[in-house]
Amino acid sequence: MNNISFLQNENLPSFAQLCISDSRYEGMRAHFTQKTYRAGECVQSEGDTITHFGIVVSGILKAVSYSREGEELCNAYFEEEDVFPEFLYLSGNRHYTYLLYVEKRAQVLWIPLFLLEEMLSADTRLVSALLCYVSQRGLKNQLYLNCLNYQTVRERIAYWIVGIRKIESRQEVHMPRSQRIFANMLHVNRSSLNQELKQMEREGYFRLDKEKMLHVEGERLKELL
């Protein structure tokens, strides 16, 4: 399969960065809307018509559904520079299939769909950035699903670290913004996750530095799987 030339630029800014700061869209930004939401606020309801593309400027959003018993099921988190509803938009779905709540006070930049489509039609670089984002988002979602094939908390942590390093192509690992979010993504108990992270750090698998894992021993982690 031949390489697609416009997808090969490793220095390409992210989709969010292009929309927020690229000078070519200066005139269109008068039609963008930036809103601030408090924690716990519902931003979109299931069934709402998709009229805008959202970019998280700061904070955290979460996509939620509920079981028959009323249990909250978190399907995805959106953090800084994440965009939504990316998969729904690209699949042609024009209605939200989940509830969108604010996990942590957030600012969201809203781009009307008609403007976004104009921008994408005129700029292959923006198309490339969106495809790169969606590809990485899909790989991360698959990574979390694959974690469920492992039974122990330690195995899930190890699999996640090995996988995220491949996806992001860097030595240090940036963890989710809170342990509660990390625990939800791995489908484990938060206290169990915290205990296992500390134990693995004591055993020299990595060093925790706030929201980062440094000095990751990749080969040792692979031996756990």
Side-chain angles (χ1 to χ4, degrees), residues 100-115:
L100 189 64
Y101 278 100
V102 181
E103 174 73 10
K104 181 180 179 181
R105 179 182 171 86
Q107 286 188 322
V108 176
L109 183 69
W110 296 99
I111 304 176
L113 279 188
F114 77 91
L115 271 185

Side-chain angles (χ1 to χ4, degrees), residues 11-223:
N11 298 317
L12 181 70
S14 71
F15 177 81
Q17 290 168 353
L18 287 172
C19 291
I20 292 170
S21 59
D22 193 284
S23 60
R24 285 172 296 177
Y25 307 125
E26 192 64 40
M28 295 182 174
R29 290 194 187 98
H31 303 284
F32 296 4
T33 304
Q34 185 162 309
K35 294 185 178 181
T36 301
Y37 299 91
R38 65 184 183 277
E41 189 171 352
C42 182
V43 178
Q44 297 288 347
S45 296
E46 185 175 354
D48 283 354
T49 301
I50 298 170
T51 59
H52 292 70
F53 216 61
I55 298 175
V56 181
V57 178
S58 65
I60 305 172
L61 305 180
K62 62 180 179 180
V64 169
S65 58
Y66 289 91
S67 68
R68 287 187 298 176
E69 293 75 25
E71 179 185 3
E72 181 180 293
L73 306 173
C74 185
N75 305 318
Y77 288 96
F78 301 98
E79 302 185 57
E80 187 174 331
E81 290 198 6
D82 281 337
V83 302
F84 63 89
E86 74 289 25
F87 292 126
L88 294 178
Y89 171 75
L90 291 173
S91 65
N93 195 324
R94 290 299 177 261
H95 295 87
Y96 280 88
T97 59
Y98 50 79
L99 292 153
L100 189 64
Y101 278 100
V102 181
E103 174 73 10
K104 181 180 179 181
R105 179 182 171 86
Q107 286 188 322
V108 176
L109 183 69
W110 296 99
I111 304 176
L113 279 188
F114 77 91
L115 271 185
L116 176 69
E117 289 168 356
E118 283 183 22
M119 292 159 63
L120 290 170
S121 297
D123 188 357
T124 57
R125 192 170 69 145
L126 191 64
V127 174
S128 176
L130 180 57
L131 287 175
C132 288
Y133 171 80
V134 171
S135 297
Q136 281 220 334
R137 183 85 190 177
L139 286 172
K140 288 179 180 179
N141 289 347
Q142 189 62 52
L143 174 63
Y144 284 111
L145 284 174
N146 288 344
C147 283
L148 303 185
N149 292 324
Y150 294 89
Q151 298 302 309
T152 69
V153 177
R154 174 168 293 213
E155 287 172 339
R156 292 186 184 186
I157 292 171
Y159 184 83
W160 179 81
I161 295 172
V162 171
I164 206 71
R165 290 178 83 201
K166 288 181 180 177
I167 293 171
E168 297 184 346
S169 300
R170 56 188 176 191
Q171 293 301 306
E172 66 181 28
V173 173
H174 289 254
M175 294 188 295
R177 297 278 293 279
S178 77
Q179 279 198 6
R180 187 164 74 85
I181 291 174
F182 197 12
N184 286 343
M185 288 176 166
L186 296 182
H187 292 263
V188 299
N189 179 273
R190 181 181 175 183
S191 62
S192 299
L193 174 67
N194 183 53
Q195 291 173 10
E196 195 61 70
L197 285 171
K198 289 181 177 178
Q199 182 59 37
M200 292 176 76
E201 181 180 29
R202 284 193 291 268
E203 294 175 20
Y205 286 101
F206 45 74
R207 182 169 67 82
L208 296 174
D209 181 16
K210 297 180 181 179
E211 296 172 2
K212 294 180 182 178
M213 291 179 178
L214 306 176
H215 309 307
V216 176
E217 294 287 338
E219 294 305 315
R220 287 186 64 202
L221 289 167
K222 289 177 184 178
E223 292 173 2

